[in-house]
Amino acid sequence: MEFDAGYLAEWANLLLRWLHIITGIAWIGASFYFIALDNSLDPPADGNRLVRGEQWSIHGGGVYYKRKYINAPEALPEKLHWFKWEAYWTWMSGFALFVLIYWGQASTYLIDPAVLDLPVWLAILLSAAMLVGGWVAYDLLCRSRFGENETKLLAAGAGMLVVATLIATHLFSGRGAFLLIGAMTGTIMVANVAMVIIPGQRKMVAAMRAGQEPDPKYGAWGKQRSVHNTYLTLPVLFLMISPHYPLIYQHHLNWLLLILLALAGALVRQFFVLRHSGRQNWALPAGGALAVALIFVIAAPRPDARFAGVEAPPFQEVQALVASHCAQCHAARPTFEGIAVAPKGVMLETPQQIRRWAAAMRQQVQSEAMPPGNLTDLTTEQRAQIIAWIAAGARVE
């Protein structure tokens, strides 16, 4: 039995995506748990001055007792549980997916000639530079004088995100830009674990095993980067699923919508961080809801003069347009290189199939999300004809 490249790529996509979700859930679960634990510790009942706080909790039919030490315990146990591979495997699977889809099919998913007609090699090089450059810029910020003041660091980090978003959305397709910012942010998060948190913890453990007092700076650095990671988590989760929502990433103000979504996620996360410590600030989720409401208003479809006043053509003309511009991918046996199965299971070969998917097709055609990068050169006039036919009732008789 022989398997073509497209079929193998689909399976690689499926398995890598599944692995990415599994490991991502494990990483986020551990991260959220320890942030919640850290913010809900009570003073030690025995007054131990080495202990920052302790917690009693119940879960899964059992009672747990946990303590956090200020710097080092009286004695270090032989067995320590480390939390790192969840983060590493999340990044490795996510990066593999990015390479498979956005580098392997860059002309389809990463490049949009209407934004900037980049050669494939340059688009890949620029996106790789942003992945590395994002971490380097962020790490330098944290190690600079800004890192000594969380308010200033927050402002500088937010400014860096805005600049990176503007650059990405003016270089790449909307879909590619959103995924790239997500990949860049995810790289920052896992680099915090691999380059700061874990090395610092290793030095702390080595000092304790040698009978020395660990340098408290490593604990402070690890705590700072761990807190940063928790605020980045919810924005990254949206960016992971953003390819499903062209009304956001294809908008001409997509950079602004991305920033508002990141803000909403960070505000919601802050609400829960405060709640774990016994405080509540309902202005935070209200601010997140306001950011989402702004997105709803900004992204709302508006009359497009390009598509106004166009008479609905006969279905035969629409079917011919769909056959020549859409059905190479959306078919039982796609003929477009690199596509093994119809994306999202949408097939547009028969009149019944075209009518069934008419409403979804309108959104994709009007937003210019499809064809991706307009690879099949669907003109504005042809888009207007398809939209007019759908608006007139999508009749196929």
Side-chain angles (χ1 to χ4, degrees):
M1 185 179 293
E2 293 184 5
F3 303 108
D4 62 33
Y7 181 75
L8 294 176
E10 284 291 327
W11 268 98
N13 186 323
L14 186 156
L15 295 176
L16 285 171
R17 197 175 300 274
W18 194 11
L19 176 62
H20 191 51
I21 291 170
I22 291 169
T23 54
I25 289 172
W27 183 18
I28 293 168
S31 172
F32 278 20
Y33 170 74
F34 279 105
I35 291 291
L37 175 63
D38 210 49
N39 285 298
S40 57
L41 294 171
D42 298 316
D46 62 2
N48 189 333
R49 288 181 294 178
L50 297 177
V51 176
R52 186 186 300 277
E54 63 184 16
Q55 185 198 74
W56 287 87
S57 57
I58 185 167
H59 180 74
V63 176
Y64 297 83
Y65 176 53
K66 293 145 292 194
R67 299 187 118 188
K68 180 176 181 180
Y69 289 84
I70 293 173
N71 198 23
E74 300 91 337
L76 191 67
E78 192 63 34
K79 184 178 181 181
L80 274 175
H81 292 277
W82 294 73
F83 295 84
K84 55 183 179 178
W85 285 107
E86 303 96 324
Y88 298 166
W89 277 105
T90 298
W91 185 86
M92 287 188 287
S93 57
F95 180 67
L97 264 178
F98 190 81
V99 171
L100 178 69
I101 299 171
Y102 292 90
W103 286 0
Q105 301 178 71
S107 58
T108 302
Y109 296 115
L110 186 61
I111 299 168
D112 184 349
V115 176
L116 192 62
D117 195 5
L118 294 167
V120 168
W121 69 267
L122 183 56
I124 293 173
L125 182 62
L126 289 173
S127 62
M130 288 193 68
L131 290 178
V132 176
W135 158 249
V136 171
Y138 161 82
D139 188 54
L140 289 175
L141 271 178
C142 290
R143 295 178 188 274
S144 72
R145 57 186 178 83
F146 288 99
E148 300 169 6
N149 184 309
E150 282 298 320
T151 302
K152 290 181 179 178
L153 183 59
L154 172 63
M160 189 188 93
L161 176 62
V162 171
V163 170
T165 300
L166 282 168
I167 292 173
T169 52
H170 284 79
L171 287 178
F172 307 109
S173 70
R175 172 173 170 165
F178 272 50
L179 259 293
L180 176 59
I181 294 299
M184 185 188 79
T185 308
T187 298
I188 288 172
M189 292 170 67
V190 78
N192 276 339
V193 176
M195 307 297 287
V196 178
I197 296 172
I198 294 299
Q201 289 177 174
R202 290 193 186 283
K203 290 175 181 177
M204 293 173 67
V205 169
M208 285 185 266
R209 295 210 188 279
Q212 303 168 358
E213 185 75 10
D215 190 330
K217 71 180 182 183
Y218 297 118
W221 288 351
K223 174 69 180 297
Q224 181 191 56
R225 302 301 180 97
S226 181
V227 169
H228 291 176
N229 278 4
T230 204
Y231 289 116
L232 294 173
T233 300
L234 296 186
V236 167
L237 283 177
F238 177 82
L239 292 170
M240 282 174 61
I241 64 172
S242 64
H244 296 285
Y245 302 101
L247 77 163
I248 302 293
Y249 70 72
Q250 280 295 116
H251 197 275
H252 69 282
L253 292 175
N254 54 6
W255 65 270
L256 176 60
L257 302 184
L258 191 156
I259 296 300
L260 288 172
L261 283 163
L263 175 63
L267 289 175
V268 170
R269 185 68 189 120
Q270 173 64 0
F271 172 78
F272 284 103
V273 169
L274 289 178
R275 187 160 182 167
H276 293 316
S277 61
R279 295 171 288 167
Q280 288 190 142
N281 185 345
W282 288 99
L284 293 167
L290 178 60
V292 173
L294 283 173
I295 295 169
F296 178 82
V297 172
I298 294 170
R302 288 170 172 77
D304 193 324
R306 299 176 303 165
F307 306 135
V310 177
E311 208 172 300
F315 172 68
Q316 289 75 11
E317 292 183 24
V318 173
Q319 187 174 26
L321 288 174
V322 172
S324 58
H325 294 280
C326 311
Q328 295 99 317
C329 296
H330 293 284
R333 295 181 179 276
T335 57
F336 193 89
E337 186 180 354
I339 303 295
V341 295
K344 298 184 180 179
V346 175
M347 288 184 277
L348 302 171
E349 296 179 289
T350 69
Q352 292 74 23
Q353 289 170 342
I354 294 172
R355 190 178 193 285
R356 177 189 176 192
W357 296 106
M361 188 162 54
R362 176 174 185 168
Q363 182 189 47
Q364 299 286 339
V365 170
Q366 187 164 344
S367 68
E368 299 187 14
M370 291 290 164
N374 203 21
L375 287 171
T376 58
D377 297 318
L378 187 64
T379 68
T380 300
E381 293 75 16
Q382 291 168 334
R383 291 179 189 275
Q385 288 179 303
I386 294 173
I387 292 167
W389 170 75
I390 296 169
R395 291 188 293 270
V396 298
E397 64 274 356

